[in-house]
Amino acid sequence: MSDRTVAHDTLVIDRTFDADPPRVFAAWASPEARKQWAVPDDGWEIADDQHDFRVGGHEVSHFGPPGDPRYRAETTYFDIVPNARIVMAGPMYDRETRISVSLATVELFAVGAGTRVIYTEQAAFLDERDTPTSRRQGWSQIFKGLERFLQTPQKSGEPR
């Protein structure tokens, strides 16, 4: 590819879940929980996950179709307020090719017995290897997975 391009976009997803903020926050904070819901396509898997959920912490997730975790997301956490906010940023790769770089904020608000989540991602999509449309589709699937996860009964000892 000889042409180098960048497309910028802001994605906002606003969803309300039937779970309290501590349970929703725990779903983001726990590596075991995230492996159950944070994949952008039905049937995909997460492999070789490194998880350090703290301010300054770094995460690396490989994901993709079974047997081909070709995508890699690297995340650094810049701000974490338990049960209220997560701010993170990092690049995404398709194998060794950087395809996007983004800054994302997850905001949690108590709404009755549930939680309103506003996810805002500002991204630079590089050389048409990733697109705003595919990112929206991926996050739509991820939020469906989060909803399914939150609908399952809590296990004994699971954070609220």
PDB file of all heavy atoms in Angstrom, residues 81-118:
ATOM      1  N   VAL A  81     -11.796   5.423  38.248  1.00  0.00           N
ATOM      2  CA  VAL A  81     -12.567   5.782  39.434  1.00  0.00           C
ATOM      3  C   VAL A  81     -13.541   4.626  39.647  1.00  0.00           C
ATOM      4  O   VAL A  81     -14.458   4.438  38.842  1.00  0.00           O
ATOM      5  CB  VAL A  81     -13.322   7.120  39.247  1.00  0.00           C
ATOM      6  CG1 VAL A  81     -14.147   7.430  40.486  1.00  0.00           C
ATOM      7  CG2 VAL A  81     -12.357   8.251  38.919  1.00  0.00           C
ATOM      8  N   PRO A  82     -13.334   3.801  40.682  1.00  0.00           N
ATOM      9  CA  PRO A  82     -14.185   2.626  40.872  1.00  0.00           C
ATOM     10  C   PRO A  82     -15.670   2.966  40.785  1.00  0.00           C
ATOM     11  O   PRO A  82     -16.140   3.951  41.340  1.00  0.00           O
ATOM     12  CB  PRO A  82     -13.796   2.129  42.268  1.00  0.00           C
ATOM     13  CG  PRO A  82     -12.370   2.566  42.405  1.00  0.00           C
ATOM     14  CD  PRO A  82     -12.329   3.924  41.734  1.00  0.00           C
ATOM     15  N   ASN A  83     -16.366   2.140  40.024  1.00  0.00           N
ATOM     16  CA  ASN A  83     -17.821   2.226  39.844  1.00  0.00           C
ATOM     17  C   ASN A  83     -18.280   3.481  39.120  1.00  0.00           C
ATOM     18  O   ASN A  83     -19.475   3.766  39.081  1.00  0.00           O
ATOM     19  CB  ASN A  83     -18.551   2.105  41.183  1.00  0.00           C
ATOM     20  CG  ASN A  83     -18.109   0.883  41.950  1.00  0.00           C
ATOM     21  OD1 ASN A  83     -17.817  -0.161  41.369  1.00  0.00           O
ATOM     22  ND2 ASN A  83     -18.020   0.999  43.252  1.00  0.00           N
ATOM     23  N   ALA A  84     -17.344   4.258  38.539  1.00  0.00           N
ATOM     24  CA  ALA A  84     -17.739   5.515  37.900  1.00  0.00           C
ATOM     25  C   ALA A  84     -17.067   5.786  36.557  1.00  0.00           C
ATOM     26  O   ALA A  84     -17.724   6.271  35.635  1.00  0.00           O
ATOM     27  CB  ALA A  84     -17.456   6.694  38.834  1.00  0.00           C
ATOM     28  N   ARG A  85     -15.741   5.491  36.409  1.00  0.00           N
ATOM     29  CA  ARG A  85     -15.070   5.923  35.173  1.00  0.00           C
ATOM     30  C   ARG A  85     -13.798   5.122  34.927  1.00  0.00           C
ATOM     31  O   ARG A  85     -13.068   4.783  35.845  1.00  0.00           O
ATOM     32  CB  ARG A  85     -14.719   7.401  35.296  1.00  0.00           C
ATOM     33  CG  ARG A  85     -14.045   7.997  34.084  1.00  0.00           C
ATOM     34  CD  ARG A  85     -13.798   9.492  34.222  1.00  0.00           C
ATOM     35  NE  ARG A  85     -12.856   9.787  35.288  1.00  0.00           N
ATOM     36  CZ  ARG A  85     -13.053  10.695  36.233  1.00  0.00           C
ATOM     37  NH1 ARG A  85     -14.139  11.421  36.253  1.00  0.00           N
ATOM     38  NH2 ARG A  85     -12.147  10.903  37.172  1.00  0.00           N
ATOM     39  N   ILE A  86     -13.545   4.881  33.628  1.00  0.00           N
ATOM     40  CA  ILE A  86     -12.299   4.278  33.157  1.00  0.00           C
ATOM     41  C   ILE A  86     -11.882   5.072  31.922  1.00  0.00           C
ATOM     42  O   ILE A  86     -12.685   5.275  31.015  1.00  0.00           O
ATOM     43  CB  ILE A  86     -12.498   2.796  32.755  1.00  0.00           C
ATOM     44  CG1 ILE A  86     -13.086   1.981  33.910  1.00  0.00           C
ATOM     45  CG2 ILE A  86     -11.185   2.192  32.251  1.00  0.00           C
ATOM     46  CD1 ILE A  86     -13.653   0.632  33.496  1.00  0.00           C
ATOM     47  N   VAL A  87     -10.617   5.529  31.887  1.00  0.00           N
ATOM     48  CA  VAL A  87     -10.077   6.204  30.710  1.00  0.00           C
ATOM     49  C   VAL A  87      -8.856   5.410  30.270  1.00  0.00           C
ATOM     50  O   VAL A  87      -7.950   5.145  31.076  1.00  0.00           O
ATOM     51  CB  VAL A  87      -9.690   7.671  30.996  1.00  0.00           C
ATOM     52  CG1 VAL A  87      -9.116   8.328  29.746  1.00  0.00           C
ATOM     53  CG2 VAL A  87     -10.896   8.458  31.506  1.00  0.00           C
ATOM     54  N   MET A  88      -8.839   5.024  28.985  1.00  0.00           N
ATOM     55  CA  MET A  88      -7.782   4.159  28.468  1.00  0.00           C
ATOM     56  C   MET A  88      -7.453   4.543  27.029  1.00  0.00           C
ATOM     57  O   MET A  88      -8.264   5.176  26.348  1.00  0.00           O
ATOM     58  CB  MET A  88      -8.239   2.711  28.541  1.00  0.00           C
ATOM     59  CG  MET A  88      -9.545   2.446  27.818  1.00  0.00           C
ATOM     60  SD  MET A  88     -10.271   0.881  28.326  1.00  0.00           S
ATOM     61  CE  MET A  88     -11.965   1.112  27.791  1.00  0.00           C
ATOM     62  N   ALA A  89      -6.263   4.156  26.590  1.00  0.00           N
ATOM     63  CA  ALA A  89      -5.855   4.476  25.226  1.00  0.00           C
ATOM     64  C   ALA A  89      -4.859   3.429  24.742  1.00  0.00           C
ATOM     65  O   ALA A  89      -4.194   2.769  25.548  1.00  0.00           O
ATOM     66  CB  ALA A  89      -5.216   5.865  25.167  1.00  0.00           C
ATOM     67  N   GLY A  90      -4.771   3.322  23.405  1.00  0.00           N
ATOM     68  CA  GLY A  90      -3.764   2.434  22.840  1.00  0.00           C
ATOM     69  C   GLY A  90      -4.021   2.094  21.393  1.00  0.00           C
ATOM     70  O   GLY A  90      -5.056   2.434  20.822  1.00  0.00           O
ATOM     71  N   PRO A  91      -3.045   1.389  20.795  1.00  0.00           N
ATOM     72  CA  PRO A  91      -3.167   0.975  19.398  1.00  0.00           C
ATOM     73  C   PRO A  91      -3.811  -0.406  19.262  1.00  0.00           C
ATOM     74  O   PRO A  91      -3.853  -1.185  20.214  1.00  0.00           O
ATOM     75  CB  PRO A  91      -1.700   0.920  18.942  1.00  0.00           C
ATOM     76  CG  PRO A  91      -0.964   0.497  20.184  1.00  0.00           C
ATOM     77  CD  PRO A  91      -1.701   1.167  21.326  1.00  0.00           C
ATOM     78  N   MET A  92      -4.293  -0.683  18.041  1.00  0.00           N
ATOM     79  CA  MET A  92      -4.775  -2.013  17.673  1.00  0.00           C
ATOM     80  C   MET A  92      -4.011  -2.458  16.434  1.00  0.00           C
ATOM     81  O   MET A  92      -3.719  -1.650  15.555  1.00  0.00           O
ATOM     82  CB  MET A  92      -6.283  -2.023  17.410  1.00  0.00           C
ATOM     83  CG  MET A  92      -6.804  -3.431  17.128  1.00  0.00           C
ATOM     84  SD  MET A  92      -8.585  -3.494  16.872  1.00  0.00           S
ATOM     85  CE  MET A  92      -9.163  -2.946  18.448  1.00  0.00           C
ATOM     86  N   TYR A  93      -3.706  -3.748  16.384  1.00  0.00           N
ATOM     87  CA  TYR A  93      -2.925  -4.319  15.291  1.00  0.00           C
ATOM     88  C   TYR A  93      -3.681  -5.462  14.633  1.00  0.00           C
ATOM     89  O   TYR A  93      -4.429  -6.181  15.294  1.00  0.00           O
ATOM     90  CB  TYR A  93      -1.601  -4.884  15.822  1.00  0.00           C
ATOM     91  CG  TYR A  93      -0.693  -3.859  16.430  1.00  0.00           C
ATOM     92  CD1 TYR A  93      -0.846  -3.471  17.758  1.00  0.00           C
ATOM     93  CD2 TYR A  93       0.321  -3.281  15.685  1.00  0.00           C
ATOM     94  CE1 TYR A  93      -0.008  -2.525  18.331  1.00  0.00           C
ATOM     95  CE2 TYR A  93       1.167  -2.331  16.248  1.00  0.00           C
ATOM     96  CZ  TYR A  93       0.995  -1.961  17.568  1.00  0.00           C
ATOM     97  OH  TYR A  93       1.828  -1.023  18.120  1.00  0.00           O
ATOM     98  N   ASP A  94      -3.461  -5.651  13.342  1.00  0.00           N
ATOM     99  CA  ASP A  94      -3.844  -6.858  12.613  1.00  0.00           C
ATOM    100  C   ASP A  94      -2.523  -7.550  12.323  1.00  0.00           C
ATOM    101  O   ASP A  94      -1.728  -7.064  11.508  1.00  0.00           O
ATOM    102  CB  ASP A  94      -4.579  -6.501  11.317  1.00  0.00           C
ATOM    103  CG  ASP A  94      -5.009  -7.730  10.533  1.00  0.00           C
ATOM    104  OD1 ASP A  94      -4.571  -8.857  10.869  1.00  0.00           O
ATOM    105  OD2 ASP A  94      -5.778  -7.575   9.560  1.00  0.00           O
ATOM    106  N   ARG A  95      -2.266  -8.622  13.039  1.00  0.00           N
ATOM    107  CA  ARG A  95      -0.952  -9.254  13.084  1.00  0.00           C
ATOM    108  C   ARG A  95       0.072  -8.213  13.528  1.00  0.00           C
ATOM    109  O   ARG A  95      -0.050  -7.698  14.619  1.00  0.00           O
ATOM    110  CB  ARG A  95      -0.625  -9.909  11.760  1.00  0.00           C
ATOM    111  CG  ARG A  95      -1.722 -10.928  11.358  1.00  0.00           C
ATOM    112  CD  ARG A  95      -1.207 -12.120  10.645  1.00  0.00           C
ATOM    113  NE  ARG A  95      -2.287 -12.901  10.047  1.00  0.00           N
ATOM    114  CZ  ARG A  95      -3.039 -13.783  10.697  1.00  0.00           C
ATOM    115  NH1 ARG A  95      -2.844 -13.983  11.977  1.00  0.00           N
ATOM    116  NH2 ARG A  95      -3.997 -14.454  10.092  1.00  0.00           N
ATOM    117  N   GLU A  96       1.015  -7.808  12.726  1.00  0.00           N
ATOM    118  CA  GLU A  96       2.013  -6.827  13.150  1.00  0.00           C
ATOM    119  C   GLU A  96       1.768  -5.436  12.572  1.00  0.00           C
ATOM    120  O   GLU A  96       2.567  -4.527  12.772  1.00  0.00           O
ATOM    121  CB  GLU A  96       3.419  -7.311  12.768  1.00  0.00           C
ATOM    122  CG  GLU A  96       3.831  -8.582  13.484  1.00  0.00           C
ATOM    123  CD  GLU A  96       3.736  -8.488  15.006  1.00  0.00           C
ATOM    124  OE1 GLU A  96       4.195  -7.478  15.577  1.00  0.00           O
ATOM    125  OE2 GLU A  96       3.184  -9.418  15.618  1.00  0.00           O
ATOM    126  N   THR A  97       0.648  -5.255  11.868  1.00  0.00           N
ATOM    127  CA  THR A  97       0.343  -3.970  11.236  1.00  0.00           C
ATOM    128  C   THR A  97      -0.584  -3.151  12.123  1.00  0.00           C
ATOM    129  O   THR A  97      -1.698  -3.591  12.448  1.00  0.00           O
ATOM    130  CB  THR A  97      -0.318  -4.184   9.858  1.00  0.00           C
ATOM    131  OG1 THR A  97       0.566  -4.966   9.048  1.00  0.00           O
ATOM    132  CG2 THR A  97      -0.616  -2.867   9.180  1.00  0.00           C
ATOM    133  N   ARG A  98      -0.139  -1.952  12.518  1.00  0.00           N
ATOM    134  CA  ARG A  98      -0.987  -1.066  13.329  1.00  0.00           C
ATOM    135  C   ARG A  98      -2.137  -0.592  12.450  1.00  0.00           C
ATOM    136  O   ARG A  98      -1.925  -0.075  11.356  1.00  0.00           O
ATOM    137  CB  ARG A  98      -0.184   0.133  13.849  1.00  0.00           C
ATOM    138  CG  ARG A  98      -0.977   0.989  14.821  1.00  0.00           C
ATOM    139  CD  ARG A  98      -0.172   2.156  15.393  1.00  0.00           C
ATOM    140  NE  ARG A  98       1.060   1.745  16.038  1.00  0.00           N
ATOM    141  CZ  ARG A  98       2.288   1.994  15.569  1.00  0.00           C
ATOM    142  NH1 ARG A  98       2.458   2.664  14.461  1.00  0.00           N
ATOM    143  NH2 ARG A  98       3.345   1.575  16.221  1.00  0.00           N
ATOM    144  N   ILE A  99      -3.379  -0.764  12.933  1.00  0.00           N
ATOM    145  CA  ILE A  99      -4.547  -0.401  12.127  1.00  0.00           C
ATOM    146  C   ILE A  99      -5.344   0.754  12.718  1.00  0.00           C
ATOM    147  O   ILE A  99      -6.134   1.377  12.013  1.00  0.00           O
ATOM    148  CB  ILE A  99      -5.464  -1.615  11.867  1.00  0.00           C
ATOM    149  CG1 ILE A  99      -6.018  -2.200  13.168  1.00  0.00           C
ATOM    150  CG2 ILE A  99      -4.727  -2.673  11.053  1.00  0.00           C
ATOM    151  CD1 ILE A  99      -7.041  -3.320  12.983  1.00  0.00           C
ATOM    152  N   SER A 100      -5.138   1.041  14.016  1.00  0.00           N
ATOM    153  CA  SER A 100      -5.833   2.177  14.620  1.00  0.00           C
ATOM    154  C   SER A 100      -5.186   2.519  15.952  1.00  0.00           C
ATOM    155  O   SER A 100      -4.458   1.721  16.536  1.00  0.00           O
ATOM    156  CB  SER A 100      -7.327   1.888  14.821  1.00  0.00           C
ATOM    157  OG  SER A 100      -7.509   0.841  15.751  1.00  0.00           O
ATOM    158  N   VAL A 101      -5.483   3.736  16.419  1.00  0.00           N
ATOM    159  CA  VAL A 101      -5.066   4.199  17.741  1.00  0.00           C
ATOM    160  C   VAL A 101      -6.256   4.949  18.328  1.00  0.00           C
ATOM    161  O   VAL A 101      -6.893   5.741  17.631  1.00  0.00           O
ATOM    162  CB  VAL A 101      -3.840   5.139  17.655  1.00  0.00           C
ATOM    163  CG1 VAL A 101      -3.437   5.610  19.049  1.00  0.00           C
ATOM    164  CG2 VAL A 101      -2.678   4.453  16.948  1.00  0.00           C
ATOM    165  N   SER A 102      -6.558   4.685  19.600  1.00  0.00           N
ATOM    166  CA  SER A 102      -7.757   5.320  20.147  1.00  0.00           C
ATOM    167  C   SER A 102      -7.610   5.699  21.613  1.00  0.00           C
ATOM    168  O   SER A 102      -6.756   5.188  22.333  1.00  0.00           O
ATOM    169  CB  SER A 102      -8.969   4.402  19.975  1.00  0.00           C
ATOM    170  OG  SER A 102      -8.809   3.222  20.714  1.00  0.00           O
ATOM    171  N   LEU A 103      -8.474   6.617  22.016  1.00  0.00           N
ATOM    172  CA  LEU A 103      -8.659   7.035  23.400  1.00  0.00           C
ATOM    173  C   LEU A 103     -10.113   6.741  23.733  1.00  0.00           C
ATOM    174  O   LEU A 103     -11.015   7.147  22.992  1.00  0.00           O
ATOM    175  CB  LEU A 103      -8.392   8.539  23.549  1.00  0.00           C
ATOM    176  CG  LEU A 103      -8.824   9.188  24.869  1.00  0.00           C
ATOM    177  CD1 LEU A 103      -7.962   8.671  26.021  1.00  0.00           C
ATOM    178  CD2 LEU A 103      -8.734  10.704  24.761  1.00  0.00           C
ATOM    179  N   ALA A 104     -10.360   6.015  24.821  1.00  0.00           N
ATOM    180  CA  ALA A 104     -11.730   5.642  25.167  1.00  0.00           C
ATOM    181  C   ALA A 104     -12.023   5.954  26.631  1.00  0.00           C
ATOM    182  O   ALA A 104     -11.149   5.854  27.495  1.00  0.00           O
ATOM    183  CB  ALA A 104     -11.962   4.160  24.905  1.00  0.00           C
ATOM    184  N   THR A 105     -13.274   6.326  26.887  1.00  0.00           N
ATOM    185  CA  THR A 105     -13.759   6.588  28.234  1.00  0.00           C
ATOM    186  C   THR A 105     -15.020   5.772  28.466  1.00  0.00           C
ATOM    187  O   THR A 105     -15.922   5.764  27.629  1.00  0.00           O
ATOM    188  CB  THR A 105     -14.085   8.092  28.418  1.00  0.00           C
ATOM    189  OG1 THR A 105     -12.914   8.851  28.126  1.00  0.00           O
ATOM    190  CG2 THR A 105     -14.537   8.381  29.831  1.00  0.00           C
ATOM    191  N   VAL A 106     -15.069   5.089  29.597  1.00  0.00           N
ATOM    192  CA  VAL A 106     -16.254   4.357  30.032  1.00  0.00           C
ATOM    193  C   VAL A 106     -16.785   5.099  31.253  1.00  0.00           C
ATOM    194  O   VAL A 106     -16.075   5.238  32.241  1.00  0.00           O
ATOM    195  CB  VAL A 106     -15.920   2.903  30.414  1.00  0.00           C
ATOM    196  CG1 VAL A 106     -17.169   2.158  30.846  1.00  0.00           C
ATOM    197  CG2 VAL A 106     -15.205   2.185  29.281  1.00  0.00           C
ATOM    198  N   GLU A 107     -18.015   5.602  31.171  1.00  0.00           N
ATOM    199  CA  GLU A 107     -18.647   6.292  32.303  1.00  0.00           C
ATOM    200  C   GLU A 107     -19.815   5.450  32.791  1.00  0.00           C
ATOM    201  O   GLU A 107     -20.587   4.937  31.986  1.00  0.00           O
ATOM    202  CB  GLU A 107     -19.151   7.663  31.872  1.00  0.00           C
ATOM    203  CG  GLU A 107     -18.044   8.598  31.397  1.00  0.00           C
ATOM    204  CD  GLU A 107     -18.618   9.876  30.835  1.00  0.00           C
ATOM    205  OE1 GLU A 107     -18.978   9.870  29.632  1.00  0.00           O
ATOM    206  OE2 GLU A 107     -18.728  10.852  31.594  1.00  0.00           O
ATOM    207  N   LEU A 108     -19.938   5.301  34.108  1.00  0.00           N
ATOM    208  CA  LEU A 108     -21.009   4.526  34.714  1.00  0.00           C
ATOM    209  C   LEU A 108     -21.833   5.427  35.623  1.00  0.00           C
ATOM    210  O   LEU A 108     -21.266   6.159  36.455  1.00  0.00           O
ATOM    211  CB  LEU A 108     -20.431   3.373  35.535  1.00  0.00           C
ATOM    212  CG  LEU A 108     -19.735   2.257  34.753  1.00  0.00           C
ATOM    213  CD1 LEU A 108     -18.309   2.631  34.433  1.00  0.00           C
ATOM    214  CD2 LEU A 108     -19.761   0.974  35.545  1.00  0.00           C
ATOM    215  N   PHE A 109     -23.150   5.369  35.462  1.00  0.00           N
ATOM    216  CA  PHE A 109     -24.075   6.175  36.255  1.00  0.00           C
ATOM    217  C   PHE A 109     -25.169   5.266  36.815  1.00  0.00           C
ATOM    218  O   PHE A 109     -25.790   4.501  36.062  1.00  0.00           O
ATOM    219  CB  PHE A 109     -24.740   7.253  35.385  1.00  0.00           C
ATOM    220  CG  PHE A 109     -23.767   8.165  34.695  1.00  0.00           C
ATOM    221  CD1 PHE A 109     -23.366   7.911  33.395  1.00  0.00           C
ATOM    222  CD2 PHE A 109     -23.255   9.277  35.349  1.00  0.00           C
ATOM    223  CE1 PHE A 109     -22.460   8.742  32.739  1.00  0.00           C
ATOM    224  CE2 PHE A 109     -22.352  10.117  34.708  1.00  0.00           C
ATOM    225  CZ  PHE A 109     -21.957   9.857  33.403  1.00  0.00           C
ATOM    226  N   ALA A 110     -25.426   5.358  38.115  1.00  0.00           N
ATOM    227  CA  ALA A 110     -26.520   4.603  38.712  1.00  0.00           C
ATOM    228  C   ALA A 110     -27.841   5.151  38.196  1.00  0.00           C
ATOM    229  O   ALA A 110     -28.064   6.359  38.180  1.00  0.00           O
ATOM    230  CB  ALA A 110     -26.471   4.707  40.230  1.00  0.00           C
ATOM    231  N   VAL A 111     -28.701   4.235  37.753  1.00  0.00           N
ATOM    232  CA  VAL A 111     -30.039   4.588  37.273  1.00  0.00           C
ATOM    233  C   VAL A 111     -30.997   3.580  37.912  1.00  0.00           C
ATOM    234  O   VAL A 111     -31.104   2.444  37.450  1.00  0.00           O
ATOM    235  CB  VAL A 111     -30.134   4.518  35.723  1.00  0.00           C
ATOM    236  CG1 VAL A 111     -31.544   4.835  35.260  1.00  0.00           C
ATOM    237  CG2 VAL A 111     -29.119   5.435  35.072  1.00  0.00           C
ATOM    238  N   GLY A 112     -31.634   3.985  38.997  1.00  0.00           N
ATOM    239  CA  GLY A 112     -32.467   3.041  39.731  1.00  0.00           C
ATOM    240  C   GLY A 112     -31.591   1.898  40.215  1.00  0.00           C
ATOM    241  O   GLY A 112     -30.537   2.119  40.798  1.00  0.00           O
ATOM    242  N   ALA A 113     -31.980   0.658  39.930  1.00  0.00           N
ATOM    243  CA  ALA A 113     -31.192  -0.512  40.315  1.00  0.00           C
ATOM    244  C   ALA A 113     -30.178  -0.879  39.232  1.00  0.00           C
ATOM    245  O   ALA A 113     -29.421  -1.829  39.392  1.00  0.00           O
ATOM    246  CB  ALA A 113     -32.113  -1.692  40.581  1.00  0.00           C
ATOM    247  N   GLY A 114     -30.175  -0.126  38.134  1.00  0.00           N
ATOM    248  CA  GLY A 114     -29.296  -0.445  37.013  1.00  0.00           C
ATOM    249  C   GLY A 114     -28.158   0.541  36.853  1.00  0.00           C
ATOM    250  O   GLY A 114     -27.898   1.372  37.729  1.00  0.00           O
ATOM    251  N   THR A 115     -27.499   0.439  35.711  1.00  0.00           N
ATOM    252  CA  THR A 115     -26.350   1.288  35.399  1.00  0.00           C
ATOM    253  C   THR A 115     -26.422   1.759  33.954  1.00  0.00           C
ATOM    254  O   THR A 115     -26.567   0.939  33.036  1.00  0.00           O
ATOM    255  CB  THR A 115     -25.021   0.539  35.598  1.00  0.00           C
ATOM    256  OG1 THR A 115     -24.968   0.029  36.929  1.00  0.00           O
ATOM    257  CG2 THR A 115     -23.822   1.431  35.323  1.00  0.00           C
ATOM    258  N   ARG A 116     -26.301   3.045  33.793  1.00  0.00           N
ATOM    259  CA  ARG A 116     -26.160   3.621  32.456  1.00  0.00           C
ATOM    260  C   ARG A 116     -24.662   3.689  32.156  1.00  0.00           C
ATOM    261  O   ARG A 116     -23.889   4.218  32.957  1.00  0.00           O
ATOM    262  CB  ARG A 116     -26.769   5.014  32.405  1.00  0.00           C
ATOM    263  CG  ARG A 116     -26.639   5.671  31.049  1.00  0.00           C
ATOM    264  CD  ARG A 116     -27.250   7.058  31.067  1.00  0.00           C
ATOM    265  NE  ARG A 116     -27.098   7.696  29.767  1.00  0.00           N
ATOM    266  CZ  ARG A 116     -27.179   9.001  29.573  1.00  0.00           C
ATOM    267  NH1 ARG A 116     -27.438   9.813  30.604  1.00  0.00           N
ATOM    268  NH2 ARG A 116     -27.026   9.503  28.376  1.00  0.00           N
ATOM    269  N   VAL A 117     -24.266   3.145  31.013  1.00  0.00           N
ATOM    270  CA  VAL A 117     -22.872   3.164  30.580  1.00  0.00           C
ATOM    271  C   VAL A 117     -22.785   4.013  29.320  1.00  0.00           C
ATOM    272  O   VAL A 117     -23.509   3.767  28.348  1.00  0.00           O
ATOM    273  CB  VAL A 117     -22.347   1.741  30.293  1.00  0.00           C
ATOM    274  CG1 VAL A 117     -20.927   1.794  29.728  1.00  0.00           C
ATOM    275  CG2 VAL A 117     -22.392   0.882  31.550  1.00  0.00           C
ATOM    276  N   ILE A 118     -21.904   5.000  29.352  1.00  0.00           N
ATOM    277  CA  ILE A 118     -21.616   5.784  28.150  1.00  0.00           C
ATOM    278  C   ILE A 118     -20.170   5.491  27.774  1.00  0.00           C
ATOM    279  O   ILE A 118     -19.249   5.788  28.542  1.00  0.00           O
ATOM    280  CB  ILE A 118     -21.824   7.294  28.362  1.00  0.00           C
ATOM    281  CG1 ILE A 118     -23.263   7.568  28.774  1.00  0.00           C
ATOM    282  CG2 ILE A 118     -21.465   8.060  27.075  1.00  0.00           C
ATOM    283  CD1 ILE A 118     -23.533   9.020  29.137  1.00  0.00           C
TER     284      ILE A 118
END
